Amino acid sequence: CLGGNGGSDDVIVPGTNSGFAPFEFTQGGELVGFDIDLAEEAISRAGYEVGDWTDIDFKSLIPSLNEDNIDLIAAGMTITDKRQQQIAFTDPYYESNQSVLVSSERDFSPESESDLSGAIVGAQSGTTGEGEVERLVEEGVLDAENVRQYDNYTLAAQDLENGNVDAIVVDVPVAQNFADSRAVEVAFIIETGESFGFGMRQDDDRIQDINDALAEIEEDGTYDDLVTEWFE
Ligand code: GLN
């Protein structure tokens, strides 16, 4: 099978969705972060050339992969059964839960899901965080009309600071990163027990090489160095 952009099998074109620090974000116009470094290292070690990064909406990543516009998704993407019907995932490389993030300058301090009753709650479209919000609607905790969908988490965090939304549901490491840089704080955590993997097409045999490279990166300490660089 051909690589992304109709390119060669030697090139792996990675795609992401920035605004998800410290996994992927822009700094001085450059795409940087844990996923960016880990994916590039894995692609190179597996013996492939790293193509030009594509930065698109989270919900467009899987369609884009299956249309051959990109070859690998590195976007803090949780391995889920539903997604596994559409794409393949590498071995897991990071564990995460969801957090409920609120403004630190307002009185709203929910301690559990039931405290969210009547609140306006947002998440990025197509994410597992949005899935948790949908579950809370199904369980009758949230009103469907009070749910806000965002094209990216940066906009959601801005709306939270501006008071346009009462809470957002986002992966814990990203919530902590927002809390370090904005007037927001983690109210409580929803233990979802998610694992991130890189996404590849189901018929792309190169996934085995990427898995081998990921194992090597973990064994030789490179993985820990990246964790130190981006999370500590
Ligand atoms: N881990 C979450 C998911 O897979 C969020 C990923 C993201 O927003 N980049 O849906």
Side-chain angles (χ1 to χ4, degrees), residues 8 31 37 62 72 79 83 100 104 115 127 129 134 136 144-145 148 153-154 159 163 183 200 207 214 216 218:
S8 85
L31 192 57
D37 283 354
I62 289 178
L72 181 141
I79 301 169
R83 288 172 182 158
V100 174
S104 42
D115 290 344
T127 61
E134 283 165 3
L136 291 169
E145 66 199 20
R148 300 286 179 273
Y153 269 124
T154 308
D159 250 12
M200 293 182 74
I207 196 165
L214 283 172
E216 197 183 295
E218 193 161 336

Side-chain angles (χ1 to χ4, degrees), residues 17 20 24 58 75-78 83 124 126-128 153 171 194 196:
N17 163 241
F20 201 65
E24 39 267 339
F58 187 79
M77 186 175 275
T78 303
R83 288 172 182 158
Q124 173 167 280
T127 61
T128 50
Y153 269 124
D171 293 71
E194 297 170 56
F196 295 172

Side-chain angles (χ1 to χ4, degrees), residues 1 27-28 31 33 42-43 64 68 77 92 95-96 106-108 112 116 130 164 177 180 183 192-193 200 215 224:
C1 72
Q27 204 167 56
L31 192 57
I43 293 169
S64 188
D68 282 4
M77 186 175 275
E95 308 293 313
S96 177
R106 290 170 62 224
D107 281 342
F108 185 57
S112 66
L116 291 173
E130 183 185 49
N164 295 327
N177 195 277
D180 290 342
T192 48
M200 293 182 74
D224 288 339

Side-chain angles (χ1 to χ4, degrees), residues 120-124 133 146-150 153 156 165 167-170:
I120 299 175
V121 180
Q124 173 167 280
V133 173
N146 286 345
V147 171
R148 300 286 179 273
Q149 291 170 313
Y150 294 91
Y153 269 124
V165 66
I168 64 174
V169 180
V170 57

Side-chain angles (χ1 to χ4, degrees), residues 154-225:
T154 308
L155 294 174
Q158 269 165 22
D159 250 12
L160 188 58
E161 273 189 322
N162 297 338
N164 295 327
V165 66
D166 297 316
I168 64 174
V169 180
V170 57
D171 293 71
V172 171
V174 177
Q176 281 162 349
N177 195 277
F178 278 132
D180 290 342
S181 55
R182 295 171 177 265
V184 297
E185 63 192 26
V186 175
F188 65 92
I189 287 171
I190 304 174
E191 302 276 351
T192 48
E194 297 170 56
S195 300
F196 295 172
F198 294 140
M200 293 182 74
R201 279 181 297 280
Q202 287 176 337
D203 66 355
D204 192 340
D205 297 337
R206 298 177 295 181
I207 196 165
Q208 193 47 56
D209 300 326
I210 298 292
N211 277 332
D212 291 346
L214 283 172
E216 197 183 295
I217 287 166
E218 193 161 336
E219 274 158 30
D220 76 0
T222 306
Y223 181 90
D224 288 339
D225 291 345

Side-chain angles (χ1 to χ4, degrees), residues 93-112:
Y93 66 85
Y94 204 88
E95 308 293 313
S96 177
N97 288 297
Q98 294 298 311
S99 72
V100 174
L101 194 66
V102 298
S103 164
S104 42
E105 289 172 351
R106 290 170 62 224
D107 281 342
F108 185 57
S109 311
E111 285 169 12
S112 66

